[in-house]
């Protein structure tokens, strides 16, 4: 698997924090927000009192989840600059009482065991240097019967769509990086990592090894994005 050290990943996201939201909407053809709304609906159905969003970035998910009544929402991310952008958004929406954003590594979470009702990880897992260690940590801090929701890029099953996606990710993602970012190298990393990360049943095997069960996969954008739901 193509992997960079956590320190390098942190530098990449620090360097693109200001443009991240804008480019994320473009690279997912505007579907990102709609899919995150669907994730929020799934979270809401669980009637949680404590939710953790790992690799929260600029805090999209905590902000969408803030509509859940009487729910403590925590976001954690390794990149100080992504968190700083998130804090600006939280402050401008006057949500700092509901949302707490922490700087931290998914591999070593500071939270108690069996604490959260729901954990979400959006476009985070493929960046983790030690994937299983990070998923073990998510498992540890999730309550028994709690729900893990992961939203990630995936490889389409259909061979024609997979080929088109290959062309898209090889050309379009770095091109957008060149046009809109001062750090085009970061977008080269994003397209490589999305190509090599396990998806579909291969990813479920990893979740199953960690101890999760009762899986559901919701494919989005012709199978190029997937929402995985699993239970502890
Ligand atoms: C593609 S962004 C996703 C941000 C946000 N979840 C979203 O959906 O827009 C990936 C995020 O993962 C974070 N990240 C990468 N490795 C991490 C780790 N080991 N622990 C915590 N966060 C990490 C990066 O700093 C970055 O903010």
């Amino acid at each position: 698997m193509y992997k960079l050290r956590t320190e390098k990943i942190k530098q990449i996201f620090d360097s693109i924090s200001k443009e991240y939201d804008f480019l994320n909407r473009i690279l997912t053809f505007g579907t990102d927000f709609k899919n995150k709304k669907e994730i929020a609906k799934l979270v809401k159905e669980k009637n949680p009192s404590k939710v953790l969003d790992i690799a929260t970035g600029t805090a999209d998910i905590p902000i969408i989840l803030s509509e859940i009544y009487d729910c403590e929402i925590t976001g954690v991310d390794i990149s100080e600059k992504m968190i700083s952008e998130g804090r600006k958004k939280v402050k401008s929406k006057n949500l700092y009482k509901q949302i707490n954003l922490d700087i931290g590594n998914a591999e070593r979470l500071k939270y108690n065991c069996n604490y959260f009702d729901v954990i979400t990880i959006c476009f985070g897992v493929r960046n983790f240097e030690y994937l299983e260690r990070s998923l073990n940590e998510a498992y540890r801090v999730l309550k028994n019967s709690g729900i893990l929701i992961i939203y990630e890029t995936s490889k389409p099953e259909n061979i024609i769509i997979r080929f088109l996606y290959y062309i898209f990710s090889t050309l379009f993602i770095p091109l957008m990086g060149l046009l809109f970012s001062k750090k085009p190298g970061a977008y080269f990393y994003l397209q490589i990592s999305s190509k090599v990360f396990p998806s579909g049943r291969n990813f479920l095997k990893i979740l199953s090894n960690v101890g999760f069960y009762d899986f559901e996969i919701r494919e989005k954008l012709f199978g190029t994005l997937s929402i995985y739901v699993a239970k502890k």
Side-chain angles (χ1 to χ4, degrees), residues 77-94:
D77 198 286
I78 195 90
S79 158
E80 280 141 51
K81 294 204 171 152
M82 292 289 273
I83 285 285
S84 160
E85 290 304 308
R87 284 187 181 140
K88 281 185 214 161
K89 282 159 65 179
V90 167
K91 193 174 170 209
S92 74
K93 291 175 191 298
N94 214 8

Side-chain angles (χ1 to χ4, degrees), residues 103-114:
I103 294 163
N105 192 336
E107 288 165 30
R108 291 179 297 279
L109 297 172
K110 65 176 186 179
Y111 315 110
N112 290 338
C113 298
N114 303 310

Side-chain angles (χ1 to χ4, degrees), residues 7-57:
E7 187 48 38
K8 183 72 193 159
I9 298 281
K10 176 184 163 337
Q11 282 169 16
I12 288 176
F13 285 101
D14 274 346
S15 75
I16 61 170
S17 58
K18 293 223 182 289
E19 72 221 22
Y20 177 81
D21 283 352
F22 170 69
L23 272 164
N24 199 24
R25 304 292 183 254
I26 292 186
L27 295 177
T28 57
F29 298 104
T31 61
D32 180 51
F33 198 69
K34 186 170 158 268
N35 292 336
K36 284 178 176 165
K37 278 271 189 195
E38 181 174 330
I39 290 167
K41 193 164 170 264
L42 280 169
V43 175
K44 213 172 172 179
E45 281 165 10
K46 305 296 162 201
N47 208 12
S49 58
K50 292 182 192 80
V51 178
L52 175 66
D53 184 43
I54 302 178
T56 195

